[in-house]
Amino acid sequence: QLPWAPQTKIDSRAPRCRIAFTDTLPLDIYISSCKIDWLKMKKKNDALVRLANKSDKIIVDSEKTKLEIQLIRKNRVHVTPMNSDVDVRWRLDPHYIKKGIKAGTYANIPGGEMFLSPEWMKGTFYGDVVISVDKSYVLNSKNPLVIKCDEKGYKILSGPKDVVKKINEKKKEAMKILLEQEKNKSLPKEIISMKKKNFNHIGEFAINTNPKAELCNYLIVNEKIAGMIHIALGSGFEDDRATVYHYDIVINAKEQKLDIYGVKKEKGKEKKLWMMRKGRLIVG
């Protein structure tokens, strides 16, 4: 029972197992990206979560990618920053059980990220590593996937023709599935309406923290590489941010020399809470 699935909070049954998944990675890549000090990495994840929780927004700044990530919802509730799970003892997610929701615990292998579902993102970003649509497509800095976003959603400005074509094709297929669910009354009306509302939104902003993950052709590894970040189009990780697709885009923060910091208002002034300088993590 995924924590962010809207059905989970209305299901009184407890989950029966944990979930962790990976791609069909070459064995050497799988081993090298998992042979790490998980607790040491968790300290970095936890530090990023704390900084995000203290911030009203996150700023990403560079010559190319420039973003403002809003962390305060319209109802004044703060979005929920999360991190890679490293504790295999729990079947019930301890964060959600405090809310009375019997959600299961969930993780990627390899791990290594702090991620959240922004209220909105404003600015432009350059995807220059990889995107996962129906499979992983390699991107590069010479012909990046350029996306502009604001409070209403996102728009693809330019990018590799095959990638842009595939995104548009898969989005059409996703909307067709959603309309079929609506026609067949497969889900409650309010969930269908929510998925339509979120269809063209940014679902995730994440900072990667795995010290041993290295550049390859596999999204699940690249989205964990320390010195990179990733942003997802579509579905998010809170129970009112679901839709019918989730396309991760990895950005080389080190190559783009990204500065990333939280902004907190304190006594009428804005305080910077630094997370990354010139593509280098400075936490943990």
Side-chain angles (χ1 to χ4, degrees), residues 17 139 142 170 174 190 215 231-232 258:
C17 65
L139 303 169
K142 292 181 180 179
K170 298 305 288 186
E190 57 269 26
L215 192 62
I231 294 168
L258 298 187

Side-chain angles (χ1 to χ4, degrees), residues 57-176:
K57 59 184 177 181
I58 292 174
I59 299 297
V60 179
D61 191 28
S62 72
E63 188 177 327
K64 291 182 177 180
T65 295
K66 294 179 182 291
L67 295 168
E68 176 185 344
I69 298 123
Q70 178 58 243
L71 304 183
I72 307 299
R73 307 292 289 271
K74 289 179 182 178
N75 60 3
R76 305 309 299 166
V77 172
H78 200 285
V79 306
T80 304
M82 293 170 268
N83 61 25
S84 295
D85 191 2
V86 303
D87 192 336
V88 299
R89 294 173 296 177
W90 310 112
R91 181 162 48 90
L92 290 171
D93 187 307
H95 174 76
Y96 281 85
I97 203 69
K98 290 176 183 177
K99 299 179 180 181
I101 299 172
K102 294 177 181 178
T105 49
Y106 167 97
N108 283 172
I109 302 174
E113 62 179 304
M114 182 282 290
F115 62 101
L116 53 84
S117 297
E119 174 66 6
W120 46 257
M121 276 178 36
K122 184 164 61 177
T124 304
F125 62 93
Y126 288 69
D128 57 0
V129 181
V130 68
I131 180 173
S132 177
V133 189
D134 57 331
K135 63 178 184 178
S136 293
Y137 293 84
V138 176
L139 303 169
N140 62 68
S141 58
K142 292 181 180 179
N143 188 20
L145 184 64
V146 184
I147 295 179
K148 186 176 182 179
C149 47
D150 58 25
E151 293 93 330
K152 295 179 181 179
Y154 70 86
K155 181 181 180 181
I156 299 173
L157 298 183
S158 63
K161 290 182 180 180
D162 62 330
V163 174
V164 175
K165 181 181 179 182
K166 183 56 66 174
I167 292 171
N168 290 333
E169 285 177 358
K170 298 305 288 186
K171 283 183 70 176
K172 284 182 181 178
E173 289 178 18
M175 179 55 76
K176 185 178 179 181

Side-chain angles (χ1 to χ4, degrees), residues 173-237:
E173 289 178 18
M175 179 55 76
K176 185 178 179 181
I177 290 169
L178 185 53
L179 293 175
E180 283 291 323
Q181 290 176 338
E182 182 178 38
K183 179 182 176 181
N184 297 327
K185 299 181 180 179
S186 305
L187 293 169
K189 287 182 179 179
E190 57 269 26
I191 292 180
I192 294 290
S193 296
M194 175 189 64
K195 290 188 174 186
K196 283 184 174 180
K197 179 183 175 183
N198 294 332
F199 192 78
N200 204 54
H201 282 191
I202 298 292
E204 178 186 13
F205 170 79
I207 298 176
N208 311 356
T209 61
N210 188 311
K212 293 289 184 71
E214 295 181 352
L215 192 62
C216 62
N217 292 343
Y218 298 89
L219 181 280
I220 203 165
V221 176
N222 291 343
E223 71 167 8
K224 307 301 189 305
I225 299 171
M228 295 193 184
I229 67 172
H230 62 280
I231 294 168
L233 312 178
S235 199
F237 294 103

Side-chain angles (χ1 to χ4, degrees), residues 15-46:
R16 302 177 75 176
C17 65
R18 287 174 50 86
I19 295 177
F21 79 89
T22 189
D23 286 342
T24 49
L25 300 173
L27 193 57
D28 58 334
I29 293 176
Y30 178 83
I31 291 171
S32 63
S33 57
C34 291
K35 196 175 180 180
I36 58 175
D37 186 332
W38 288 80
L39 292 179
K40 186 176 180 180
M41 185 181 72
K42 183 179 184 299
K43 288 181 180 179
K44 291 185 182 293
N45 296 342
D46 290 345

